[in-house]
Amino acid sequence: MLKFYYNPVSPNARRVWLTLLEKEIAFEPILIKLDGDQFQPEFVATNPFHHIPVVVDDGFRVVESLAIMDYLETKYPTPAMLPSEPQALATVRMVQLVTGNELFPQIVSLIYEREDSPQAAQAKQHIDKVLQFFTQVLGDCSFFGSEQLTLADIVAGIGILSLPNLGINLSNYTKIYEWCDRLMQRPAWQKTKLSAEEFELFKGRVRALIRLRRYKDNKSK
């Protein structure tokens, strides 16, 4: 059986978790506690970069969430979550990359910076730009690039659904708000939704990682 190394507070791990659930792929969940499990020799042998998620399928190891999602889509093609039509495929990839490159860095800023700081204000402005762009991309479709759930919806959904917890009112973006409602009606999304306590743990981990990164940057100067 496919082994899935994860922790629910990790957005990247939830991408894979949702893909597994939506495709109804049988898997063995292996919880990695992020207070040290990722540095244990057994896990380091599986992923020397100490990151989750990881899947091991019939002895084949895959790290990095987007690579795992592509692997699952190709090996387990039903239900299809990656369109083949060129424009639809480009839409899915574009939404995935915009989420990673434009949205998630701003989410990190909102978590780490003071609410009244210029950095937080800039982050909110950039998030508004992303949500306006996603509104245009979604258009009249039920999901990104399709009338059926795609891998883009999983990647973008995890980021966008966290925004109300950070003071962003999604009801100001009607199509995105309705899209979020469609996602949350799905059993897989209800199962993987973070509790308030888990979201606070996620925020604490983000803050700790940013402090560590800045410490290392200052030390290297």
Side-chain angles (χ1 to χ4, degrees):
M1 183 181 293
L2 181 148
K3 294 182 178 180
F4 171 46
Y5 298 81
Y6 81 111
N7 187 292
V9 305
S10 163
N12 290 345
R14 287 209 313 285
R15 294 175 178 179
V16 175
W17 192 9
L18 279 164
T19 305
L20 290 165
L21 293 174
E22 290 284 1
K23 286 184 167 290
E24 298 184 345
I25 300 170
F27 65 94
E28 176 189 350
I30 302 174
L31 179 65
I32 300 297
K33 296 178 182 178
L34 299 176
D35 57 359
D37 283 1
Q38 71 271 39
F39 300 111
Q40 295 302 312
E42 181 181 356
F43 184 71
V44 172
T46 302
N47 185 359
F49 307 111
H50 319 296
H51 298 157
I52 51 172
V54 181
V55 301
V56 179
D57 190 21
D58 292 331
F60 179 67
R61 173 189 61 182
V62 193
V63 304
E64 300 294 345
S65 61
L66 295 181
I68 296 171
M69 294 167 75
D70 282 348
Y71 171 76
L72 296 175
E73 173 66 16
T74 303
K75 185 170 181 181
Y76 306 93
T78 304
M81 299 177 69
L82 200 60
S84 57
E85 192 276 324
Q87 292 187 4
L89 177 60
T91 296
V92 168
R93 294 306 194 199
M94 178 174 65
V95 169
Q96 289 179 316
L97 290 169
V98 169
T99 300
N101 296 332
E102 304 294 341
L103 179 60
F104 266 107
Q106 311 311 318
I107 290 174
V108 170
S109 290
L110 288 186
I111 291 172
Y112 187 79
E113 305 293 348
R114 294 193 324 273
E115 187 175 352
D116 60 349
S117 68
Q119 293 87 347
Q122 291 172 3
K124 289 180 179 179
Q125 290 176 359
H126 201 79
I127 288 171
D128 175 72
K129 185 185 299 184
V130 171
L131 293 176
Q132 296 286 2
F133 177 73
F134 279 170
T135 296
Q136 296 172 9
V137 172
L138 187 62
D140 295 325
C141 292
S142 297
F143 299 100
F144 284 111
S146 178
E147 287 304 313
Q148 306 299 322
L149 186 81
T150 70
L151 299 181
D153 299 296
I154 290 177
V155 173
I158 288 171
I160 293 174
L161 285 166
S162 72
L163 294 176
N165 293 319
L166 298 170
I168 304 296
N169 187 356
L170 293 179
S171 63
N172 294 330
Y173 310 90
T174 303
K175 289 187 176 181
I176 298 299
Y177 184 84
E178 293 171 350
W179 167 78
C180 287
D181 187 58
R182 283 192 290 277
L183 294 180
M184 289 310 303
Q185 289 177 21
R186 304 177 71 89
W189 292 75
Q190 296 172 20
K191 182 180 178 66
T192 59
K193 181 182 178 182
L194 288 185
S195 66
E197 181 181 1
E198 288 172 326
F199 191 76
E200 288 303 313
L201 289 174
F202 165 65
K203 288 166 60 177
R205 178 156 178 79
V206 168
R207 293 186 183 114
L209 289 173
I210 295 299
R211 285 195 296 267
L212 178 61
R213 184 181 304 168
R214 292 187 176 182
Y215 170 78
K216 289 181 177 179
D217 289 344
N218 291 334
K219 193 174 181 180
S220 65
K221 291 180 180 178

